[in-house]
Amino acid sequence: MVSRDTTGVSGRLRPYVAVVVAIGFTLLAVLATTVDIDRLRGQGGLVAHLGAFLVVGQFFAVPLSRDRRGPKVLVNAPFAFALMLYGGIGFAVLLQAAAIVLWGGLRRSPVRKVAFNVGDHTIGLAAGAAVWLALSGGQDPSSATLPAALAGTFVFMTVKTLLFGIKVRLDPAAPADLTSTRLFGTVVAITGVAMAVVLAVVLVADNTTMLFLALSVPTIGLYVVLRSESGANIRQGEAEQNAHREAELRVKEQELTRKLKEADQMKDDLLAMVSHELRNPLTTVLGVFR
């Protein structure tokens, strides 16, 4: 077992969160000025679909640990990047931030936690958008620019996950069962679905029915799989806790039995000592009355 200096770790967590929040909100303010209303009007139907899935998906969280109050993973990341492709980076980061704030407000999450979530998602989306723009040369999403879109999606997921992973590593209160392996496996699954969704959206953007299927089917499938895996992990934790409680009860019962035996032995020893001490005086007294 690797021990942590929780005092030092906690001391590094606060400045780290502050830096991520500061960078994220600075990027958010700058990118908000790039919102293109004409572009949104031109892509109205597609942007509305992606925006709706982004906001609704924010409310389908899957616990990453057995602690239901611990970190959670969301399945709406694919919609954020796809929305950036068609609605622009400014509108995407604003709607993403609004969804995070709304979700956090309804759940009464701490302000610092909500601010960090906005910050790391904004930084991740900005990084992915930068890769997309650099590789696509500013062209519109199409089959020709799919490699650029997929590369941008991968960078988006990698950066925001890395920022989140560092926060978990620095947090002394992080659940013990939230291992690097578990986090990595979850991220790989979501990244794969994100890339699949972006691929499908680019190819069927003009077909409303196919677009709806491309957005909903893989996302629902991912949510069901992650939820089932999370439920199994929680049930395993509960079973381990019950087994631990039973073991503790057995130990307590054994200790109580041992103490009762000791008390019984002390009683027998006391009676034997009293009998021995009284035997001679009684013999003398009985001898006098004979």
Side-chain angles (χ1 to χ4, degrees):
M1 181 180 294
V2 179
S3 62
R4 288 192 191 180
D5 180 357
T6 57
T7 301
V9 171
S10 180
R12 294 194 295 270
L13 176 62
R14 291 182 179 179
Y16 172 74
V17 170
V19 169
V20 171
V21 170
I23 295 174
F25 275 79
T26 300
L27 284 173
L28 182 63
V30 172
L31 295 174
T33 62
T34 67
V35 175
D36 188 342
I37 301 300
D38 293 333
R39 181 178 183 178
L40 294 175
R41 289 174 179 171
Q43 299 284 354
L46 182 56
V47 168
H49 273 86
L50 293 171
F53 272 86
L54 172 62
V55 174
V56 173
Q58 186 72 36
F59 293 87
F60 289 87
V62 179
L64 279 172
S65 71
R66 295 163 187 169
D67 183 358
R68 298 178 185 274
R69 298 170 298 177
K72 295 177 175 59
V73 65
L74 302 171
V75 295
N76 63 344
F79 313 126
F81 195 82
L83 182 61
M84 184 279 300
L85 293 176
Y86 291 95
I89 180 63
F91 181 72
V93 294
L94 282 176
L95 188 60
Q96 178 181 248
I100 293 173
V101 171
L102 177 61
W103 181 67
L106 292 176
R107 293 179 59 85
R108 297 181 179 179
S109 300
V111 173
R112 185 174 64 176
K113 180 179 179 180
V114 174
F116 180 86
N117 289 339
V118 172
D120 81 322
H121 279 73
T122 300
I123 294 172
L125 194 53
V131 171
W132 151 252
L133 292 173
L135 296 180
S136 67
Q139 300 180 51
D140 292 332
S142 65
S143 57
T145 58
L146 262 179
L150 296 178
T153 305
F154 179 79
V155 170
F156 163 50
M157 294 296 301
T158 300
V159 170
K160 79 182 191 67
T161 301
L162 180 62
L163 294 173
F164 172 74
I166 293 174
K167 178 178 179 289
V168 171
R169 177 61 182 170
L170 293 177
D171 188 356
D177 65 310
L178 180 51
T179 61
S180 299
T181 302
R182 178 173 175 77
L183 180 60
F184 178 76
T186 302
V187 171
V188 168
I190 296 178
T191 301
V193 171
M195 297 177 75
V197 167
V198 169
L199 171 66
V201 169
V202 172
L203 295 178
V204 300
D206 296 328
N207 188 320
T208 303
T209 302
M210 291 300 296
L211 176 64
F212 179 80
L213 293 175
L215 294 176
S216 58
V217 172
T219 306
I220 292 174
L222 174 65
Y223 178 78
V224 170
V225 170
L226 292 180
R227 196 75 190 182
S228 298
E229 196 274 340
S230 174
N233 183 52
I234 291 173
R235 287 192 295 273
Q236 179 183 353
E238 292 174 346
E240 291 176 355
Q241 288 180 352
N242 291 335
H244 181 67
R245 292 193 191 99
E246 290 177 359
E248 288 183 338
L249 286 175
R250 285 195 295 271
V251 170
K252 291 180 179 179
E253 288 176 356
Q254 292 171 358
E255 180 67 14
L256 179 60
T257 300
R258 184 184 64 82
K259 289 181 178 180
L260 289 174
K261 288 182 178 179
E262 289 180 351
D264 191 57
Q265 183 63 41
M266 289 177 63
K267 180 197 69 174
D268 293 341
D269 292 344
L270 178 62
L271 290 175
M273 182 186 67
V274 170
S275 299
H276 176 74
E277 294 297 330
L278 293 179
R279 184 177 302 140
N280 292 334
L282 287 175
T283 301
T284 303
V285 171
L286 291 174
V288 172
F289 287 99
R290 283 180 182 173

